[in-house]
Amino acid sequence: LAFAVAMVVAYAGTERLGRPLTDDEKKRFGALLREHDYPGARLVALHFAYKLTRSIGRAQELMGRVNLRLVRFGWDPAEVALVKRLCRLVWSEWTHALGDTEKGRRVEEAFLRDFEATEGPVTASTEQAAVALETATATHARAATQLAKLRAAFEAAGDEVNLLVLKYASENGINPSDMRKMAEASGRDVADFKSAAERRKRAVRKLLAQEGGVDLNDKES
Amino acid sequence: MSSRHPAAIWQRLVDETGEEAIEAAVSVSVARAERDLVAAGFDVAAERAVAVAQIDELASGRVVELVPLDEVLARGGDYLDDKERAELHRALTESMAEADAGHLTDVDDVLAEIRAAR
């Protein structure tokens, strides 16, 4: 009895490896991408990037960053399909770029310069560390501003459940998506938090869209 | 970072919102993505070629060089020094003069030459 065994080999990424890829690793990663129709998956991810950015140039730039992240952070085919991995990276890169500041760009560019050729391990210089600290401050300010806007929107809409979600998230550290814990903490029904989650996602989508200057609510036809 | 930190809370909210958008994105077929991208003005063949080139570079064991657009633009749109840029402009001027004179090469021939050289 003969049967074939499909080998699913995860690509660890240079971040986890802590070193550049060897030629053999590059070849295996290339073969893995080819096996999973990387060109097709990349087009779907580019489609998503364009939907988010509404700009050919920005979508292409976003995909450039996604490619770098894929090489750096890797991909496990057993865990997630390539197209989803790429789309997650698109979302992550896009939402981070929205809060991008000049300082943030300097950090990013410094990182990219270190990384682009994968010729050596990425090390944070003192200057990078200092800039990263300033960036963290800007990130904190941006998040606080967005949360204040979200709270104001929930107050204006009389959305008591989502105000509770923000309260328990900030005071108790409960994940907003953890409806069971939210229900336990508040004594309300889990169903209240399910419907609140939909309203909350719409509100967050609206804030992101405002920040990015795009409309994220248009439905796929 | 503490889970109570504003940045951590905002990131969790962005992540939960993103899952829905990502699910919608991955439900798009490659054919549909291609059609929409063409309609938006993308050169889909070129985009596919970029992906194939990335795989080929990896498969050949060579380094993939990806450069952020911001950095390129900050350097005047290329990585050339003044001398190299002057040479490029001179070559482009010569090339345009050749094109004006009708000394053209079919793009298929050029691509075939490049492929043969790989």
Side-chain angles (χ1 to χ4, degrees), chain A residues 117-156:
Chain A
T118 63
E119 287 298 327
V122 177
T123 55
S125 66
T126 306
E127 185 191 353
Q128 278 178 281
V131 177
L133 181 62
E134 291 177 61
T135 306
T137 306
T139 302
H140 174 94
R142 176 201 174 216
T145 302
Q146 294 293 57
L147 288 176
K149 286 181 184 174
L150 199 58
R151 191 171 287 108
F154 292 150
E155 283 171 354

Side-chain angles (χ1 to χ4, degrees), chain A:
Chain A
L1 178 65
F3 53 94
V5 178
M7 286 282 288
V8 180
V9 183
Y11 164 63
T14 53
E15 176 76 8
R16 191 180 299 173
L17 292 170
R19 57 167 172 74
L21 301 181
T22 64
D23 279 359
D24 190 46
E25 286 165 340
K26 286 176 194 166
K27 285 176 185 171
R28 274 189 276 130
F29 184 37
L32 188 65
L33 292 178
R34 196 190 308 277
E35 183 186 334
H36 289 263
D37 184 25
Y38 174 69
R42 186 182 174 278
L43 284 177
V44 173
L46 178 64
H47 183 263
F48 186 36
Y50 179 68
K51 186 180 177 186
L52 295 176
T53 61
R54 292 292 183 223
S55 156
I56 292 177
R58 285 203 296 274
Q60 288 169 328
E61 186 193 6
L62 190 54
M63 286 309 299
R65 291 173 187 273
V66 164
N67 292 338
L68 287 172
R69 290 293 182 271
L70 184 67
V71 173
R72 190 176 181 208
F73 295 111
W75 164 54
D76 183 356
E79 184 188 307
V80 63
L82 178 59
V83 67
K84 194 164 192 174
R85 176 75 177 122
L86 292 175
C87 286
R88 278 184 176 159
L89 289 170
V90 166
W91 178 262
S92 172
E93 282 301 304
W94 180 68
T95 54
H96 280 94
L98 289 178
D100 205 4
T101 61
E102 184 56 34
K103 291 184 186 95
R105 275 192 291 277
R106 281 164 55 198
V107 170
E108 180 77 357
E109 285 164 12
F111 154 67
L112 289 169
R113 273 197 300 278
D114 278 348
F115 178 72
E116 64 176 342
T118 63
E119 287 298 327
V122 177
T123 55
S125 66
T126 306
E127 185 191 353
Q128 278 178 281
V131 177
L133 181 62
E134 291 177 61
T135 306
T137 306
T139 302
H140 174 94
R142 176 201 174 216
T145 302
Q146 294 293 57
L147 288 176
K149 286 181 184 174
L150 199 58
R151 191 171 287 108
F154 292 150
E155 283 171 354
D159 191 339
E160 291 177 17
V161 182
N162 271 318
L163 286 170
L164 281 176
V165 169
L166 294 184
K167 178 176 183 285
Y168 292 132
S170 62
E171 292 179 4
N172 302 51
I174 300 176
N175 186 337
S177 299
D178 194 335
M179 297 178 204
R180 188 182 55 77
K181 280 191 181 172
M182 287 285 175
E184 281 174 7
S186 65
R188 299 184 72 124
D189 198 282
V190 173
D192 291 346
F193 289 94
K194 282 185 181 169
S195 53
E198 294 309 309
R199 296 194 299 276
R200 188 168 65 250
K201 286 174 193 172
R202 278 200 297 276
V204 170
R205 201 157 49 228
K206 190 175 174 184
L207 285 176
L208 290 171
Q210 284 172 352
E211 214 177 1
V214 294
D215 178 10
L216 292 183
N217 289 313
D218 55 340
K219 300 290 180 193
E220 296 291 340
S221 54

